């Protein structure tokens, strides 16, 4: 190339082609495309075919082949880099097809939820309400399966009929027991912190690491360690007697929940049997007997014990018995007239006393003539 005062002396490096840095002198009006062809032709004819697959960069900025050296911002002593173009394999912006199939499977695979820490999950059951997931605060209740609730949240769910299916065994207040949890001194704060509880006998924290039992007889919650070490048939706090079946495991394991559920079902069955055996008392205080031998109240179940009894397949009443069919005596209003009253006048009060005298009228068919 000819040298004159306007010519630029630049340096060109091609690390992708493993070509050492070279110095060139060129005119400012030369295009980048012609510069590239001139540079590659000086190296070898093989490299000249790479003109379409290479491009120049200046300080990391790619230069357009149609632009001139002067317009591209190239000055004297500038260093241009010759880079190879990486063409995409599938026309999708750079995919070469070298990726494994696992890349796409991982891309579209459903993300698994983060695993919860079992210790935190267990702690949550002991410090939060099983229904509202809010921190436990008095009044606190426990069901017969060992689940802890804030009483207000549970009662509201019952009234609004929004109780989850998992707690369908709770029908009312009779299915919950108010419990007394001993708070750790200094743990109850007004800044919204969670309330922590402990065993009033051993001081073990109510945090899910230790087993606790609620006593149905009094509602106090004690650790299993306290009940095991101090052998007593009465509560260690209020000294009220209890039996082994009165102990409810708080947030027990699957086996303990199964045992508690069996006890709950047995208790409900015994209660139903007791109600059936005791029967009910009627309005007049008399007891009746159904076909299955169960005593029931006479008036409540529509049975008039004075009117009939079972005797050899026939029903004896105040009326006549004809071939097992009861022909009861027809009631007449005049038979129940008060003393010193005219039976005929008293009977005229009732519409059924003189049906034959009733005459239908246009204005009212239900009243006798002369009364409308």
């Amino acid at each position: 190339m000819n040298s004159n005062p306007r010519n630029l002396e630049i340096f060109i490096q091609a690390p992708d082609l493993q070509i050492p840095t070279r110095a060139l002198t060129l005119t400012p009006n030369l295009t980048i495309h012609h510069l590239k062809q001139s540079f590659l032709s000086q190296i070898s004819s093989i490299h000249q075919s790479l003109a379409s697959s290479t491009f120049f960069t200046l300080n990391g900025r790619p230069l357009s082949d149609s632009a001139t050296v002067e317009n591209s911002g190239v000055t004297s002593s500038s260093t241009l880099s010759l880079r190879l173009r990486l063409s995409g394999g599938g026309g999708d912006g750079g995919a070469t097809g070298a990726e494994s199939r696992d890349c796409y499977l991982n891309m579209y695979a459903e993300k698994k939820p983060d695993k919860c820490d079992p210790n935190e999950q267990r702690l949550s059951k002991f410090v939060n309400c099983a229904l509202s997931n809010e921190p436990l605060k008095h009044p606190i209740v426990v069901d017969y399966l060992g689940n802890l609730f804030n009483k207000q949240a549970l009662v509201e769910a019952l009234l609004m009929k929004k109780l989850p299916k998992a707690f369908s065994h709770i029908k009312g207040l009779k299915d919950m027991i108010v419990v007394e949890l001993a708070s750790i001194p200094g743990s109850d704060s007004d800044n919204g912190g969670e309330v922590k509880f402990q065993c009033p006998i051993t001081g073990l924290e109510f945090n899910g690491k230790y087993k606790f039992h609620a006593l149905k007889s009094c509602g106090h919650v004690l650790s299993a360690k306290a009940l095991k070490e101090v052998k007593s048939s009465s509560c260690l706090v209020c000294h009220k007697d209890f039996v082994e079946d009165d102990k409810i495991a708080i947030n027990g394991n699957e086996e303990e929940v199964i045992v508690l559920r069996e006890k709950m079902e047995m208790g409900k069955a015994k209660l139903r049997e007791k109600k059936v055996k005791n029967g009910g008392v009627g309005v007049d205080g008399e007891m009746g007997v159904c076909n299955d031998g169960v005593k029931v109240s006479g008036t409540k179940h529509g049975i008039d014990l004075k009117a009939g009894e079972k005797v050899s397949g026939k029903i004896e009443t105040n009326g006549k018995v004809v071939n097992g069919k009861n022909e009861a005596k027809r009631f007449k209003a005049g038979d129940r007239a008060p003393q010193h009253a005219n039976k005929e006048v008293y009977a005229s009060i009732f519409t059924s006393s003189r049906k034959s005298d009733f005459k239908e009228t246009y204005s009212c068919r239900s009243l006798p003539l002369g009364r409308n």
Side-chain angles (χ1 to χ4, degrees):
M1 296 184 181
N2 298 329
S3 61
N4 56 58
R6 294 192 58 192
N7 288 347
L8 301 176
E9 186 175 354
I10 64 172
F11 301 92
I12 298 178
Q13 60 182 4
D16 295 342
L17 302 178
Q18 298 181 356
I19 300 173
T21 303
R22 295 194 177 193
L24 290 179
T25 302
L26 47 87
T27 58
N29 58 356
L30 185 69
T31 63
I32 299 296
H33 177 71
H34 288 94
L35 172 61
K36 183 168 48 176
Q37 286 184 335
S38 175
F39 173 74
L40 292 175
S41 62
Q42 292 181 11
I43 300 172
S44 67
S45 59
I46 298 176
H47 290 88
Q48 192 174 2
S49 61
L50 298 175
S52 61
S53 59
T54 56
F55 64 98
F56 276 115
T57 62
L58 176 63
N59 298 327
R61 177 174 57 88
L63 303 179
S64 175
D65 287 352
S66 60
T68 62
V69 174
E70 184 178 10
N71 294 337
S72 300
V74 180
T75 60
S76 183
S77 302
S78 297
T79 301
L80 301 181
S81 298
L82 187 65
R83 298 288 185 180
L84 288 173
R85 298 183 186 275
L86 298 178
S87 57
D92 55 355
T96 61
E99 295 87 352
S100 63
R101 186 169 177 266
D102 294 339
C103 296
Y104 297 98
L105 294 178
N106 294 332
M107 184 187 302
Y108 296 103
E110 295 182 2
K111 293 184 178 180
K112 296 181 180 179
D114 297 335
K115 293 184 179 180
C116 298
D117 187 358
N119 294 326
E120 294 183 0
Q121 192 173 9
R122 183 169 58 249
L123 175 63
S124 177
K125 291 183 178 181
F126 280 80
V127 298
N128 295 330
C129 172
L131 182 62
S132 64
N133 204 30
E134 295 179 353
L136 290 172
K137 57 183 179 180
H138 292 290
I140 302 171
V141 295
V142 64
D143 63 1
Y144 287 96
L145 300 183
N147 300 305
L148 291 170
F149 305 91
N150 288 331
K151 186 176 181 180
Q152 182 178 355
L154 184 58
V155 171
E156 288 178 358
L158 286 170
L159 294 176
M160 300 297 293
K161 296 182 179 180
K162 293 182 179 181
L163 204 61
K165 190 176 182 181
F167 305 126
S168 59
H169 58 279
I170 302 176
K171 305 297 183 182
L173 296 176
K174 67 181 184 302
D175 297 322
M176 62 183 80
I177 303 168
V178 179
V179 294
E180 293 293 335
L181 286 171
S183 300
I184 299 176
S187 63
D188 193 358
S189 57
D190 298 333
N191 57 1
E194 294 181 353
V195 180
K196 295 183 179 179
F197 306 101
Q198 66 176 359
C199 173
I201 305 301
T202 61
L204 295 177
E205 289 188 0
F206 194 71
N207 55 9
K209 295 181 179 179
Y210 312 100
K211 289 187 177 182
F212 280 78
H213 294 275
L215 303 180
K216 289 192 292 184
S217 57
C218 60
H220 283 101
V221 178
L222 304 174
S223 64
K225 182 179 180 181
L227 295 173
K228 183 179 180 181
E229 292 183 353
V230 183
K231 301 293 183 181
S232 177
S233 60
S234 61
C235 176
L236 302 178
V237 179
C238 63
H239 307 292
K240 190 173 183 179
D241 294 337
F242 70 91
V243 294
E244 190 67 21
D245 289 342
D246 287 341
K247 294 192 298 185
I248 298 177
I250 303 295
N251 294 319
N253 54 34
E254 293 183 4
E255 295 179 358
E256 291 173 333
V257 172
I258 291 174
V259 174
L260 291 174
R261 189 178 294 275
E262 291 177 355
K263 289 182 180 179
M264 180 183 67
E265 296 298 336
M266 289 176 60
K268 290 182 178 180
K270 288 181 180 179
L271 185 61
R272 286 193 295 266
E273 291 178 2
K274 186 176 180 181
K275 287 183 178 180
V276 171
K277 286 182 180 180
N278 292 340
V281 180
V283 178
D284 54 359
E286 296 178 350
M287 301 295 295
V289 180
C290 292
N291 293 337
D292 54 359
V294 181
K295 293 183 178 181
V296 294
S297 59
T299 55
K300 182 178 179 181
H301 294 270
I303 302 173
D304 190 357
L305 300 178
K306 294 181 180 180
E309 297 177 352
K310 283 189 175 183
V311 180
S312 64
K314 294 183 179 181
I315 303 177
E316 297 181 1
T317 63
N318 292 335
K320 299 179 181 179
V321 177
V322 180
N323 296 329
K325 296 182 180 180
N326 181 22
E327 292 185 359
K329 185 177 180 182
R330 187 175 180 182
F331 170 77
K332 292 184 178 181
D335 297 340
R336 299 292 180 93
Q339 290 184 349
H340 310 293
N342 190 315
K343 292 185 178 181
E344 194 171 322
V345 174
Y346 180 78
S348 64
I349 300 174
F350 304 94
T351 58
S352 60
S353 60
R354 298 179 64 186
K355 276 191 174 181
S356 59
D357 296 339
F358 286 1
K359 293 183 180 180
E360 294 181 356
T361 63
Y362 173 77
S363 59
C364 183
R365 294 186 173 185
S366 61
L367 295 177
L369 187 63
R371 293 188 182 183
N372 56 350

